[in-house]
Amino acid sequence: MSDACCGLDVGEPEAGPEKLWQVRELQLAAAAAVLLVIGWLVARAGFDTPSLIVELVAVVVAAVTFVPDALRNLRHGRIGVGTLMTIAAVGAVALGQIAEAALLGILFSIAEGLEHYAVTRTRRGLRALLSLVPPKATVIRDGREITVSPEDLVIGDVMVLRPGERAATDATITSGRTSLDLSAITGESVPVEAGPGDAVNAGAINGGGAIEVTVTALAADSSLARIVHIVEQAQERKGAGQRLADRIARPLVPAIMVLAAMVAALGALLGDPMPWVERALVVLVAASPCALAIAVPLTVVAAIGAASRQGALVKGGAAVEELGRIKVIALDKTGTLTRNKPQVVEVVAVGGVAEIDALRAAAALELRSEHPLAQAIVSAAGEVTPAADVTAVAGHGIEGTLGDTRIRLGKPSWISPGPLAEDVRRLQAAGTTVVILERADQVIAAIAVRDELRPEAAQAVGLLDRLGIRVAMLTGDNKLTAEALAAEAGIATVYSELLPEDKATLLPVLAGGKSIAMVGDGVNDAPALATADIGIAMGAMGTDVAIETADVALMGEDLRHLPQVLAHARRARRIMVQNIGLSLAIIGSLIPLAAFGVLGLATVVFIHEMAEVLVILNAIRAARTQPLDRLAPAAAVKASGPHHVDIDAPPPPSDPCCGNASAAQHLQQLTLTRTPPPAATGCDCCGPQQPPRSP
């Protein structure tokens, strides 16, 4: 603890002891304790001088853990808790209270050793992610397989992953199909099916047949290495609670020294200075703010390490504390509530225009776009020739020239659907996103694209509801599509047809003075992520923009990690408040008792150091994670919307006739040519459903 405890650097990685008994401070404390007992036994035998020598040696052994650092800091003009402990120990020896001085050093060393062990243990848990990278990798070079170190891999290498092997760096599958175990990286226990073109993140385990992958990042720049580096840097950021502790502890140290000097001066004025000098030394120990200084940093380190094991990248103490205060969450639709894998489900063209021709014209505009809806159109159209002079109109659509004709593709709110208005309403009511294709100022087609709701979305919303968090959906999509998907997810508050800047403007209004979090993909939602009290990126493995923009990044694709990390942050914040309260209570009660001589040095040392141990042990509790099924009792969970939520169940099955099916799955059964049944009706296997809640 010494002076370092008042400015604990939780971000610097270090190699620490594996076992508690290997901690240097604890070893020295144990040696000093043994010497103190020997000295007591020697004194009981009547050998006073040898006993005094042994006790002095005990003082020196215990003081090794903090006196050198205190003196070194003092030379640089820094005064900290170690300085107070050094003065108190020297003063106690000068007053002949050698045993008390040894006890002070022993207990202080124990607390310092426990802190050191706690910090290195939680750091080791984070950096253990890097151990997921195998020591060797198999690559194909010059037509033959060779084994190389991950550091020797270069971009473009073809790496062979056999069943059970881990990926040494990020890559893309070029040959073969398999299932990838990402549980150690994203926290998701269900393997992910993958084939040619799919990404493989560093540390992923090949659970199927042998595959060939092309390296897309150096081992030092892989998603796994980047995540560890960012978290270690982010741990140095201080939350409001930690800043509060620092603000209290920094002026408290010199104030304590002034108070002790005043106590000693008062004794000199009264004519008998010795008792008051002793009390002044006791005050130095009693008012030591080290427990306060370590109250928050240790909790932050433990909480961030635990969150990383759950598949959440939390950037520092500020994010941990703010997460614990969240009362409102705004969810983006595409890529957050939906799978972000849209498909074209229907093309409606005006008379005389072939549907495939309309689709190819739209794809010609979207060919170079990275938007998910654009990719769906391009995939459905096949081979096309790109349009010329393509210009994107932010938040509306895209336009360009095909041949000698000007064409536009965009939202119905930007391009009037004209003769296709009724078809557009039908498609939107069915939960699809519709774009209108215009050629030479004439509407020629409407293209319906569907992005299915994540199967666990309703379950995640139910968990957030149980945590007392109000959920809203923000989307640039049209009102009918947005409301259809929101009803399936159990979300009552929906804002649609929003531009990126509209989302950012809406957040303060939606928050209503409470802390609000925005969950999005970290790219087009960047303004909202920056505006919210906490920005949360969904599915951030391998996404630079998401990781850099957001305060928190969910590395997996399971939306249920969102309520899990929020519940974990709430618990960590409670622990922070408990630690600060305990530390202040100890300081506030011990100072007057010490100043008026009610408590002696030995008693104050014991109480104060035990308080530090309690703070450390309490902070370590933040390293514990809570499974999803314990966030709320299953029997107590009520329906968040039109569908019942069972938090103990896996994600709902893809059954097109049950109440948990998405609007898209109903469409597979009902077709897009007729209006689907209203939300309040039921189906043969499920019976009537609950009507949706009013916004």
Side-chain angles (χ1 to χ4, degrees), residues 24 38 40 125 205 223 240 292 295 317 327 526 551 563 565 587 634 652 680:
R24 175 178 174 270
I38 292 174
W40 179 78
I205 301 175
S223 55
L292 175 65
K327 296 296 183 182
D551 302 292
V565 73
I587 293 174

Side-chain angles (χ1 to χ4, degrees), residues 453-463 488-490 640 643-645 652 660:
L453 195 72
R454 292 181 185 273
E456 77 280 0
Q459 191 176 1
V461 171
L463 289 170
E488 295 294 335
S640 304
H643 306 302
H644 294 282
V645 178
N660 283 325

Side-chain angles (χ1 to χ4, degrees), residues 97-185:
Q97 298 184 16
I98 300 175
E100 285 78 1
L103 182 61
L104 182 151
I106 290 169
L107 293 177
F108 191 64
S109 297
I110 290 174
E112 188 176 35
L114 289 176
E115 178 200 342
H116 182 202
Y117 179 72
V119 172
T120 54
R121 179 185 175 189
T122 50
R123 283 176 183 162
R124 189 182 298 114
L126 174 63
R127 292 192 62 82
L129 286 173
L130 290 179
S131 66
L132 298 178
V133 177
K136 299 292 182 182
T138 302
V139 297
I140 300 176
R141 290 178 181 172
D142 298 327
R144 59 190 183 91
E145 293 185 7
I146 61 173
T147 301
V148 300
S149 171
E151 289 75 18
D152 295 330
L153 291 171
V154 297
I155 296 176
D157 268 345
V158 177
M159 189 166 53
V160 179
L161 283 184
R162 295 181 174 83
E165 291 184 343
R166 291 185 183 272
T169 187
D170 297 341
T172 301
I173 299 177
T174 53
S175 175
R177 301 195 65 84
T178 187
S179 61
L180 299 175
D181 182 355
L182 304 175
S183 58
I185 306 170

Side-chain angles (χ1 to χ4, degrees), residues 28-365:
L28 291 172
V34 171
L35 289 171
L36 188 60
V37 171
I38 292 174
W40 179 78
L41 293 174
V42 172
R44 295 279 293 178
F47 302 99
D48 294 336
T49 302
S51 171
L52 184 62
I53 294 174
V54 173
E55 289 177 352
L56 283 172
V57 174
V59 173
V60 173
V61 171
V64 167
T65 63
F66 60 91
V67 171
D69 287 336
L71 295 177
R72 186 162 47 250
N73 288 326
L74 197 58
R75 285 200 303 270
H76 291 87
R78 294 193 297 266
I79 298 176
V81 178
T83 308
L84 299 182
M85 295 297 103
T86 300
I87 294 173
V90 172
V93 171
L95 294 172
Q97 298 184 16
I98 300 175
E100 285 78 1
L103 182 61
L104 182 151
I106 290 169
L107 293 177
F108 191 64
S109 297
I110 290 174
E112 188 176 35
L114 289 176
E115 178 200 342
H116 182 202
Y117 179 72
V119 172
T120 54
R121 179 185 175 189
T122 50
R123 283 176 183 162
R124 189 182 298 114
L126 174 63
R127 292 192 62 82
L129 286 173
L130 290 179
S131 66
L132 298 178
V133 177
K136 299 292 182 182
T138 302
V139 297
I140 300 176
R141 290 178 181 172
D142 298 327
R144 59 190 183 91
E145 293 185 7
I146 61 173
T147 301
V148 300
S149 171
E151 289 75 18
D152 295 330
L153 291 171
V154 297
I155 296 176
D157 268 345
V158 177
M159 189 166 53
V160 179
L161 283 184
R162 295 181 174 83
E165 291 184 343
R166 291 185 183 272
T169 187
D170 297 341
T172 301
I173 299 177
T174 53
S175 175
R177 301 195 65 84
T178 187
S179 61
L180 299 175
D181 182 355
L182 304 175
S183 58
I185 306 170
T186 65
E188 297 177 7
S189 58
V190 178
V192 177
E193 297 297 323
D198 290 332
V200 179
N201 294 115
I205 301 175
N206 180 15
I211 57 174
E212 293 182 3
V213 299
T214 300
V215 173
T216 57
L218 301 178
D221 299 327
S222 71
S223 55
L224 196 59
R226 187 172 64 249
I227 285 169
V228 172
H229 176 67
I230 289 174
V231 172
E232 287 179 338
Q233 284 187 326
Q235 283 178 338
E236 297 177 0
R237 304 179 188 178
K238 298 182 179 181
Q242 184 172 344
R243 290 192 296 269
L244 173 62
D246 288 346
R247 287 199 302 269
I248 296 173
R250 193 175 298 113
L252 189 58
V253 173
I256 291 167
M257 299 182 70
V258 172
L259 176 61
M262 291 175 61
V263 170
L266 178 62
L269 292 176
L270 295 177
D272 187 10
M274 292 309 296
W276 290 94
V277 171
E278 292 181 18
R279 292 179 185 180
L281 293 173
V282 177
V283 168
L284 287 177
V285 178
S288 170
C290 202
L292 175 65
I294 66 173
V296 175
L298 280 179
T299 308
V300 168
V301 174
I304 290 177
S308 69
R309 294 193 299 272
Q310 289 181 319
L313 180 69
V314 184
K315 296 185 178 180
V320 171
E321 187 167 358
E322 196 61 48
L323 269 177
R325 283 198 286 256
I326 293 300
K327 296 296 183 182
V328 185
I329 281 189
L331 299 172
D332 177 47
K333 178 179 73 70
T334 304
T336 302
L337 284 168
T338 64
R339 295 183 177 184
N340 203 22
K341 295 180 179 178
Q343 294 179 331
V344 174
V345 293
E346 186 173 343
V347 179
V348 180
V350 298
V353 178
E355 293 181 1
I356 187 62
D357 292 337
L359 192 60
R360 287 173 177 168
L365 283 174

